[in-house]
Amino acid sequence: MNKNVTVRDAGDVKVLDLKGKITIGAGDLHMREAIHQTLAGGAKKILINMKEVTTIDSTGVGELVGCYTTATNKGAKLRLANLPEKINDVLTVTQLITVFDVYTSEAEALEGF
Amino acid sequence: MNKNVTVRDAGDVKVLDLKGKITIGAGDLHMREAIHQTLAGGAKKILINMKEVTTIDSTGVGELVGCYTTATNKGAKLRLANLPEKINDVLTVTQLITVFDVYTSEAEALEGF
Amino acid sequence: MTESSRSPVVLWLSSRYENIELAMAALEEVSRNSGIENDMEHWIGMALREAVANAIKHGNRQDPEKRVMVSFDVKGDDITIRVGDEGPGFDSGSVADPLAPENQLRPSGRGIFYMKTFMDLVTFQNGDGGGGTIVTMTKNFKNKKP
Amino acid sequence: MTESSRSPVVLWLSSRYENIELAMAALEEVSRNSGIENDMEHWIGMALREAVANAIKHGNRQDPEKRVMVSFDVKGDDITIRVGDEGPGFDSGSVADPLAPENQLRPSGRGIFYMKTFMDLVTFQNGDGGGGTIVTMTKNFKNKKP
Ligand SMILES: Nc1ncnc2c1ncn2[C@@H]1O[C@H](COP(=O)(O)OP(=O)(O)O)[C@@H](O)[C@H]1O
Ligand SMILES: Nc1ncnc2c1ncn2[C@@H]1O[C@H](COP(=O)(O)OP(=O)(O)O)[C@@H](O)[C@H]1O
């Protein structure tokens, strides 16, 4: 299975680059693991870069929500950036776009994080 | 359906560039039509450029054989050039590679046609 | 190809998530043969993913011996997709609304909602004797997306 | 994924040549899931094309109401593909040898030969009461190509 999450640092922010499909049985667990690891490492600011995500299903969306809750519960902040139009649509129809902290670019998301 | 045969002139030789799949229900009839048209137009030298052929099945091979026979019967010569390795293998196992006049490049095939 | 009924295709897949991609590959072929455009295919594919995932997860509980049936039917500008499983069936009327405020942060419960959002019509049938679920989803693929 | 049996997949296709590509798309997915490499997939695909084309052409005579069944089974390093049709059946023993000099320039008659060349084992069965043909083709996909 392709690892479709990579983690990098941008100052004190952990940036997770997601790639490809975040769908049941495919990318869903990698994202969760990566978030949990960065939180366990003490990160307080996490930025998820969705630029290269091609497809997300309800399981992937659920993972995003779960990660958001976990981060909040640990006193960390989670932001999303670079949502492709279709991914944006998927979050919009379930009214999650307002729940998440969404930014159009990585620079914008990092500013004042 | 994509037309996967184009015809061009190289001196007095008609060159047919085949492309993609020469398979049942797909590219098989286009090739036949193109050959018949060039023969009807009085061509005596036909070069089939196979460079861009990705797949050929037994129906496509049969069409090639049929075109060869038709051309020969009309007193025309037919040559093949630029066979990709897999296409070459397909003609080899049915011992057709020796029946056809096969050249590794277009230049070679045109020489002394 | 006649206008009235193109590409009837039926797949029987074992209950593994990786086989979702096979259903997607079939949709891709059916779309190509029926003139369904890429954007439209994406949204239909989204509904198909959800339906097959539910059949594997909730229906067949990932038992690879149990089969998921996926059929594609194109008539005119309508595509009808059926997804069947060998599971216990369920009452689609009592599924929680994922837009209700108390459900907004739940990590699950959005699949059927997506299916209904991206298709024109989605119906659920339980098999005879309560066994199995068949989801039937229809979409006019010449209409705009939701 | 257990080693012993991965990706059993069954397709039921209507008898249209364009559905050959659907069988190919399924093979592609099965290959990806089973670690079948590209070159090997190409040769197996060649045999699959021939088998499905024969089922559509000679078996079902292109009657779109009749179905072609294609199944994939991977056990260990062996892939077994079955292709079934609803045609009249035939005697595979009496098919002419395409390598015989008198057949070399025939425009047809090479399909079964290709199937046998590119797979390890190809067998034909006629259905009960003479109806239908099932071709079973097996290949050890870790072996080199012919
Ligand atoms: N094919 C099915 N068989 C049995 N139960 C199902 C099936 N599809 C859906 N369900 C039930 O409906 C519920 C809601 O499904 P869905 O909206 O897709 O959300 P999720 O799958 O995230 O729970 C599931 O939790 C399950 O109880
Ligand atoms: N599924 C089938 N049903 C009935 N007859 C078949 C089937 N497959 C093959 N045959 C018979 O075997 C012959 C040889 O098949 P093949 O080697 O594929 O060559 P071709 O299809 O070019 O004739 C066919 O012409 C046909 O008579």
Side-chain angles (χ1 to χ4, degrees), chain C:
Chain C
M1 267 191 279
T2 61
E3 249 303 306
S4 61
S5 179
R6 289 165 296 184
S7 308
V9 163
V10 185
L11 318 182
W12 291 89
L13 309 170
S14 76
S15 298
R16 303 169 192 276
Y17 291 132
E18 68 228 45
N19 285 336
I20 294 174
E21 300 308 324
L22 227 146
M24 298 303 288
L27 173 64
E28 196 183 320
E29 269 304 308
V30 170
S31 297
R32 202 198 321 267
N33 292 335
S34 311
I36 298 177
E37 285 172 5
N38 285 354
D39 269 7
M40 180 54 72
E41 184 193 327
H42 181 89
W43 298 116
I44 296 171
M46 179 94 199
L48 177 59
R49 278 186 187 280
E50 300 295 343
V52 179
N54 277 354
I56 294 173
K57 185 179 185 177
H58 304 299
N60 294 345
R61 308 233 157 98
Q62 294 188 66
D63 177 351
E65 296 300 308
K66 292 195 170 148
R67 290 281 180 277
V68 175
M69 187 278 296
V70 183
S71 77
F72 300 85
D73 242 297
V74 177
K75 288 211 170 63
D77 295 342
D78 285 312
I79 182 168
T80 297
I81 302 179
R82 282 188 188 76
V83 177
D85 62 52
E86 307 180 60
F90 76 111
D91 176 11
S92 63
S94 61
V95 166
D97 174 10
L99 299 189
E102 69 274 19
N103 294 329
Q104 202 160 31
L105 288 179
R106 280 184 52 193
S108 64
R110 296 178 185 84
I112 293 173
F113 178 83
Y114 282 132
M115 288 156 59
K116 291 186 170 167
T117 301
F118 298 129
M119 302 296 279
D120 295 334
L121 186 68
V122 178
T123 57
F124 295 85
Q125 272 171 273
N126 290 328
D128 297 330
T133 298
I134 298 178
V135 189
T136 304
M137 312 189 284
T138 302
K139 179 88 185 169
N140 181 319
F141 54 81
K142 289 284 157 70
N143 277 350
K144 289 258 163 287
K145 71 163 176 116

Side-chain angles (χ1 to χ4, degrees), chain A residues 89-108:
Chain A
D89 288 353
V90 168
L91 294 182
T92 301
V93 293
T94 40
Q95 301 178 0
L96 285 168
I97 205 83
T98 54
V99 169
F100 293 117
D101 231 7
V102 178
Y103 297 82
T104 48
S105 73
E106 190 172 320
E108 239 179 82

Side-chain angles (χ1 to χ4, degrees), chain B residues 58, chain D residues 54-55 58-59 85 88-90 95 108-113 133:
Chain B
S58 69
Chain D
N54 277 355
H58 303 299
D85 63 52
F90 76 110
V95 167
S108 63
R110 295 178 185 85
I112 293 173
F113 178 84
T133 298

